[in-house]
Amino acid sequence: MLGYCHSQSKVRTFRISRFRSVRILSRTFRKESYDVEHFFRHTWSVCKGQDHTRFIIKFARELAQTIKAEELYIKPILKDLPDGSLLFEVTVNRDSDFLQWLYKFGPGAEILEPIHYRQQLREMLNMWGTIYADQKAEGTDY
Protein backbone atom coordinates (compact mmCIF):
# COMPACT_ATOMS: atom_id res chain seq x y z
CA MET A 1 0.00 0.00 0.00
CA LEU A 2 1.26 3.46 -0.83
CA GLY A 3 0.58 6.15 1.78
CA TYR A 4 1.91 9.08 3.75
CA CYS A 5 4.08 8.22 6.75
CA HIS A 6 3.75 10.81 9.51
CA SER A 7 6.80 9.56 11.42
CA GLN A 8 9.06 9.89 8.34
CA SER A 9 7.16 12.85 6.81
CA LYS A 10 7.10 11.30 3.35
CA VAL A 11 5.13 9.05 1.04
CA ARG A 12 6.27 5.43 1.25
CA THR A 13 5.12 1.85 0.78
CA PHE A 14 3.56 -0.14 3.60
CA ARG A 15 3.17 -3.90 3.88
CA ILE A 16 -0.43 -4.54 4.91
CA SER A 17 0.46 -7.83 6.62
CA ARG A 18 2.47 -5.81 9.16
CA PHE A 19 -0.49 -3.72 10.31
CA ARG A 20 -1.47 -4.56 13.88
CA SER A 21 -4.79 -2.74 13.75
CA VAL A 22 -6.70 -0.40 11.49
CA ARG A 23 -9.24 2.28 12.32
CA ILE A 24 -11.09 4.72 10.14
CA LEU A 25 -10.45 8.39 10.92
CA SER A 26 -12.58 11.39 10.05
CA ARG A 27 -9.63 13.13 8.40
CA THR A 28 -8.27 12.08 5.02
CA PHE A 29 -5.06 12.50 3.07
CA ARG A 30 -5.13 13.31 -0.60
CA LYS A 31 -2.18 14.24 -2.77
CA GLU A 32 -3.84 15.47 -5.96
CA SER A 33 -0.75 15.79 -8.14
CA TYR A 34 1.27 12.88 -6.83
CA ASP A 35 3.18 11.04 -9.57
CA VAL A 36 3.08 7.34 -8.67
CA GLU A 37 5.11 6.38 -11.75
CA HIS A 38 7.89 8.76 -10.66
CA PHE A 39 7.79 7.29 -7.13
CA PHE A 40 8.30 3.75 -8.48
CA ARG A 41 10.81 4.70 -11.19
CA HIS A 42 13.67 2.14 -11.20
CA THR A 43 11.82 0.10 -8.54
CA TRP A 44 11.87 -3.61 -9.38
CA SER A 45 9.18 -4.61 -6.90
CA VAL A 46 7.23 -2.77 -4.22
CA CYS A 47 10.23 -1.95 -2.01
CA LYS A 48 12.03 1.21 -3.05
CA GLY A 49 15.78 1.64 -2.65
CA GLN A 50 18.10 4.62 -2.81
CA ASP A 51 20.90 3.38 -5.08
CA HIS A 52 20.79 3.08 -8.86
CA THR A 53 22.49 0.00 -10.22
CA ARG A 54 22.67 -0.78 -13.94
CA PHE A 55 22.62 -4.50 -14.69
CA ILE A 56 23.42 -6.16 -17.99
CA ILE A 57 22.28 -9.78 -18.13
CA LYS A 58 22.66 -12.33 -20.90
CA PHE A 59 19.75 -14.76 -21.01
CA ALA A 60 20.19 -18.09 -22.78
CA ARG A 61 18.37 -18.71 -26.05
CA GLU A 62 15.98 -21.08 -24.26
CA LEU A 63 14.83 -18.26 -21.97
CA ALA A 64 14.66 -15.39 -24.48
CA GLN A 65 10.93 -15.68 -25.22
CA THR A 66 10.09 -16.20 -21.54
CA ILE A 67 11.92 -13.01 -20.60
CA LYS A 68 10.28 -11.04 -23.40
CA ALA A 69 6.86 -12.21 -22.18
CA GLU A 70 7.49 -11.17 -18.54
CA GLU A 71 5.23 -8.35 -17.40
CA LEU A 72 7.64 -6.02 -15.64
CA TYR A 73 6.98 -2.60 -14.14
CA ILE A 74 10.40 -1.42 -15.31
CA LYS A 75 10.91 -1.64 -19.05
CA PRO A 76 14.37 -3.09 -19.73
CA ILE A 77 16.35 -2.52 -22.91
CA LEU A 78 16.32 -5.82 -24.80
CA LYS A 79 18.63 -6.84 -27.64
CA ASP A 80 18.40 -10.10 -29.54
CA LEU A 81 21.83 -11.62 -30.10
CA PRO A 82 22.80 -13.63 -33.22
CA ASP A 83 22.95 -16.92 -31.27
CA GLY A 84 19.32 -16.49 -30.10
CA SER A 85 20.26 -15.35 -26.61
CA LEU A 86 18.99 -12.05 -25.21
CA LEU A 87 20.84 -9.07 -23.77
CA PHE A 88 18.83 -7.44 -20.97
CA GLU A 89 19.75 -4.03 -19.54
CA VAL A 90 17.96 -2.43 -16.62
CA THR A 91 18.64 0.12 -13.89
CA VAL A 92 17.15 -0.66 -10.48
CA ASN A 93 17.18 1.16 -7.16
CA ARG A 94 17.22 -1.97 -4.98
CA ASP A 95 19.51 -4.74 -6.13
CA SER A 96 18.25 -7.46 -3.78
CA ASP A 97 14.76 -7.60 -5.32
CA PHE A 98 16.15 -7.77 -8.83
CA LEU A 99 18.69 -10.45 -7.92
CA GLN A 100 15.99 -12.60 -6.26
CA TRP A 101 14.05 -12.49 -9.53
CA LEU A 102 17.18 -13.19 -11.56
CA TYR A 103 18.33 -16.21 -9.54
CA LYS A 104 15.22 -18.20 -10.47
CA PHE A 105 16.62 -18.49 -14.01
CA GLY A 106 19.72 -20.31 -12.74
CA PRO A 107 22.54 -20.78 -15.25
CA GLY A 108 20.28 -19.46 -18.02
CA ALA A 109 20.96 -15.94 -16.73
CA GLU A 110 24.53 -14.65 -16.79
CA ILE A 111 25.39 -11.38 -15.03
CA LEU A 112 27.71 -9.45 -17.33
CA GLU A 113 27.69 -6.15 -15.43
CA PRO A 114 28.36 -4.93 -12.82
CA ILE A 115 31.35 -7.20 -12.48
CA HIS A 116 31.28 -7.20 -8.65
CA TYR A 117 27.81 -8.84 -8.71
CA ARG A 118 29.19 -11.48 -11.04
CA GLN A 119 32.03 -12.11 -8.57
CA GLN A 120 29.57 -12.10 -5.66
CA LEU A 121 27.46 -14.77 -7.37
CA ARG A 122 30.55 -16.90 -8.10
CA GLU A 123 31.53 -16.73 -4.41
CA MET A 124 28.00 -17.69 -3.33
CA LEU A 125 27.96 -20.65 -5.74
CA ASN A 126 31.37 -21.78 -4.47
CA MET A 127 30.04 -21.71 -0.88
CA TRP A 128 26.99 -23.71 -1.93
CA GLY A 129 29.25 -26.15 -3.74
CA THR A 130 31.19 -26.69 -0.53
CA ILE A 131 27.99 -27.27 1.45
CA TYR A 132 26.60 -29.77 -1.05
CA ALA A 133 29.89 -31.46 -1.98
CA ASP A 134 29.52 -34.22 0.58
CA GLN A 135 26.68 -36.67 1.04
CA LYS A 136 26.20 -36.02 4.77
CA ALA A 137 22.52 -35.05 4.51
CA GLU A 138 21.59 -38.45 3.06
CA GLY A 139 22.48 -40.25 6.30
CA THR A 140 20.26 -37.98 8.46
CA ASP A 141 23.26 -37.63 10.78
CA TYR A 142 22.66 -33.91 11.23
Side-chain angles (χ1 to χ4, degrees):
M1 181 174 82
L2 189 63
Y4 185 78
C5 176
H6 291 278
S7 64
Q8 293 183 13
S9 300
K10 67 179 184 179
V11 176
R12 55 176 289 230
T13 56
F14 294 90
R15 182 170 278 186
I16 293 175
S17 63
R18 292 187 179 165
F19 286 15
R20 290 189 194 124
S21 65
V22 177
R23 61 188 164 105
I24 298 173
L25 303 174
S26 59
R27 64 177 200 249
T28 60
F29 170 78
R30 184 175 291 240
K31 187 82 171 165
E32 296 293 338
S33 63
Y34 193 73
D35 186 354
V36 174
E37 287 193 18
H38 179 73
F39 179 84
F40 284 112
R41 186 164 189 239
H42 299 299
T43 302
W44 190 255
S45 68
V46 176
C47 298
K48 188 173 170 63
Q50 299 302 317
D51 299 325
H52 287 92
T53 306
R54 181 176 145 265
F55 284 92
I56 299 178
I57 310 299
K58 182 179 178 184
F59 284 100
R61 178 176 34 106
E62 300 77 26
L63 289 172
Q65 291 306 316
T66 301
I67 299 302
K68 289 178 185 179
E70 285 268 336
E71 292 186 27
L72 306 170
Y73 184 76
I74 297 176
K75 298 298 178 212
I77 297 169
L78 302 175
K79 181 182 178 185
D80 291 308
L81 298 176
D83 65 356
S85 61
L86 180 69
L87 208 56
F88 178 103
E89 182 180 334
V90 68
T91 298
V92 298
N93 61 24
R94 186 176 155 108
D95 60 357
S96 59
D97 293 335
F98 175 72
L99 291 169
Q100 285 260 266
W101 172 81
L102 184 66
Y103 293 159
K104 73 180 181 180
F105 299 106
E110 179 184 359
I111 299 172
L112 301 179
E113 292 182 29
I115 196 72
H116 71 273
Y117 285 95
R118 184 180 175 89
Q119 293 165 338
Q120 201 174 58
L121 181 56
R122 182 175 39 245
E123 289 169 14
M124 183 177 72
L125 291 171
N126 285 336
M127 284 190 298
W128 285 1
T130 302
I131 291 169
Y132 293 102
D134 62 51
Q135 301 298 318
K136 189 169 31 174
E138 285 181 14
T140 64
D141 213 20
Y142 305 108

